[in-house]
Amino acid sequence: MLRVFKIIFDEILIIVNFVASQIPGRTGYVIRQAFFKIRVKETGENIRIGIGVEITGGENICVGNNINIMKYTSFYANDNGKIRVGDNISINSNTCIGAANGGEILIKNNVLIANNVVIRAADHAFESVKKPIIKQGHNGGKIVIGEDCWICANVVITKGVTIGDHSVVAAGSIVTNDVEPFSVVGGCPAKLIRKRDIPELCDIE
């Protein structure tokens, strides 16, 4: 009986979440902000949530202050995934941030993420040729995006990658290896294009 009530409750929550995610205007922002704070483990202040934002595994998601999440962005942190987002973050439309299946994603402060970005901290296992890939489970890893980074449109970041502070990833890139701080990278796979000017530490605002 308890299982039946849980199923009914989960279904009601899904319906309420869908309705709240589609309400336009300022009223929609207010309702989605309140609902977002209920759905995730921890939130700060000044959270703006666009239309159609999807959350799975909210109990494993923490976000900081001054967060702008634009329309149709998805967060997946179910099945032991973890997502932690810092302060002063802008996430543009249609972005997918997936840490499900044992992955972990850490986005530090003052990060810009453009539209259509995919950040995925777990991959399908495919070692066996005797079993369909769909039945082989996942391999989780960790992704870290450092302070003051700009992730441009249509970028894909794979598990096991750390992007150093103050770096830029050019549009359309696929990042499969670590990026050093103060770097501009691009391509498939992403490679160093140039280094940004590296000021004295005391000059960084």
Side-chain angles (χ1 to χ4, degrees):
M1 184 63 70
L2 185 63
R3 184 172 180 274
V4 173
F5 280 123
K6 185 180 184 306
I7 292 172
I8 293 171
F9 177 79
D10 288 344
E11 286 296 305
I12 292 172
L13 191 62
I14 290 169
I15 293 169
V16 172
N17 182 51
F18 176 79
V19 172
S21 73
Q22 302 300 318
I23 298 172
R26 293 184 179 180
T27 301
Y29 273 115
V30 172
I31 292 173
R32 284 190 296 276
Q33 181 187 55
F35 200 70
F36 185 83
K37 289 186 175 184
I38 294 170
R39 291 293 308 278
V40 303
K41 181 178 180 180
E42 180 181 320
T43 64
E45 300 299 323
N46 190 26
I47 311 295
R48 290 176 61 86
I49 309 296
I51 289 174
V53 170
E54 184 178 359
I55 302 165
T56 305
E59 67 276 9
N60 299 318
I61 298 173
C62 299
V63 303
N65 301 300
N66 305 317
I67 309 296
N68 184 23
I69 303 171
M70 298 182 71
K71 62 184 180 180
Y72 305 123
T73 287
S74 301
F75 289 83
Y76 301 104
N78 51 300
D79 298 327
N80 298 315
K82 296 180 181 178
I83 297 174
R84 178 170 288 275
V85 178
D87 298 331
N88 307 316
I89 306 295
S90 177
I91 302 173
N92 213 318
S93 304
N94 301 311
T95 289
C96 177
I97 300 176
N101 308 114
E104 183 177 355
I105 295 172
L106 171 61
I107 300 172
K108 296 186 179 180
N109 301 331
N110 304 305
V111 170
L112 291 166
I113 299 176
N115 53 306
N116 303 315
V117 169
V118 176
I119 304 170
R120 183 75 171 97
D123 294 333
H124 287 282
F126 58 91
E127 286 75 15
S128 175
V129 295
K130 297 179 179 179
K131 183 189 297 185
I133 294 173
I134 198 171
K135 295 183 178 181
Q136 294 189 45
H138 296 80
N139 295 318
K142 185 174 183 179
I143 294 172
V144 178
I145 299 177
E147 303 261 351
D148 181 38
C149 287
W150 177 20
I151 312 300
C152 298
N154 302 302
V155 165
V156 175
I157 302 173
T158 63
K159 71 179 178 70
V161 165
T162 294
I163 298 177
D165 297 347
H166 313 290
S167 291
V168 176
V169 180
S173 301
I174 299 178
V175 187
T176 58
N177 294 298
D178 290 350
V179 175
E180 293 184 356
F182 295 97
S183 297
V184 179
V185 301
C188 302
K191 296 181 180 179
L192 181 66
I193 297 173
R194 66 178 177 87
K195 299 290 286 189
R196 299 180 67 197
D197 291 337
I198 303 178
E200 295 295 328
L201 186 61
C202 61
D203 294 334
I204 299 175
E205 297 182 357

